[in-house]
């Protein structure tokens, strides 16, 4: 192949073919792995609250609309969005809205509790310090 254009076209073809094969392989792997997708139930999980009670997502199925939010005390955008989430929770919790705020903080529970108290948040804070549910939801 002495023509540089043919070399680039061959490279481009191999790159696209490799990406397509990788994507096909990933789809096969992911099809067996539960994940959130439009039209499918959200993957179930059970996590503890700050008070030690367990909350299971499946317990809300067919009863409430659930807003799941992953956050951390050190996350500046999280600090900004939480008051708006609290307003929505106060306005719609009587109409079937549940907010499950899943903290991925690896530190002490007291940091999460202090954050919730400081911002006056009343929706449940669930604890996922090993980020297992975070990874489940990708």
């Amino acid at each position: 192949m002495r023509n540089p254009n043919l070399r680039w076209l061959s490279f481009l073809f191999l790159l696209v073919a490799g990406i397509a094969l990788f994507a096909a392989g990933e789809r096969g792997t992911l099809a067996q792995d539960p994940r959130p997708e439009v039209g499918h139930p959200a993957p179930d999980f059970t996590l503890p609250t700050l008070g030690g009670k367990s909350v299971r997502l499946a317990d809300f199925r067919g009863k409430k609309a659930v807003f799941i939010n992953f956050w951390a005390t050190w996350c500046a955008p999280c600090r900004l969005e939480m008051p708006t989430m609290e307003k929505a929770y106060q306005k719609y919790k009587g109409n079937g809205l549940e907010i499950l705020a899943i903290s991925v903080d690896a530190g002490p529970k007291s940091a999460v509790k202090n954050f919730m108290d400081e911002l006056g948040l009343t929706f449940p804070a669930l604890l996922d310090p090993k980020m297992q549910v975070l990874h489940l939801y990708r």
Side-chain angles (χ1 to χ4, degrees):
M1 278 194 219
R2 295 181 193 261
N3 186 336
N5 289 333
L6 281 177
R7 209 173 323 169
W8 276 108
L9 283 173
S10 296
F11 171 76
L12 185 60
F13 174 78
L14 289 173
L15 178 65
V16 170
I19 291 171
L21 287 172
F22 175 77
E26 280 294 299
R27 273 197 304 273
T29 302
L30 296 177
Q32 300 168 353
D33 193 13
R35 65 178 175 173
E37 280 191 24
V38 174
H40 297 279
D44 193 22
F45 60 84
T46 301
L47 287 172
T49 65
L50 281 172
K53 177 184 169 192
S54 289
V55 172
R56 183 175 179 214
L57 179 63
D59 292 342
F60 298 102
R61 199 160 280 142
K63 299 174 189 168
K64 291 189 174 193
V66 180
F67 179 111
I68 298 172
N69 184 48
F70 294 92
W71 66 284
T73 56
W74 45 263
C75 168
C78 301
R79 180 174 288 278
L80 293 174
E81 73 186 1
M82 292 291 204
T84 303
M85 290 169 47
E86 179 63 27
K87 286 179 187 172
Y89 184 65
Q90 291 303 320
K91 185 172 182 177
Y92 297 109
K93 70 180 177 180
N95 294 326
L97 174 68
E98 187 60 65
I99 293 179
L100 301 179
I102 301 174
S103 169
V104 295
D105 284 274
K109 290 192 298 188
S110 61
V112 176
K113 182 176 179 352
N114 291 342
F115 181 95
M116 298 289 289
D117 290 346
E118 178 187 338
L119 294 180
L121 306 173
T122 61
F123 45 79
L126 307 181
L127 305 173
D128 187 22
K130 294 182 182 176
M131 299 185 201
Q132 293 170 324
V133 176
L134 175 70
H135 292 299
L136 176 66
Y137 276 70
R138 297 171 196 229

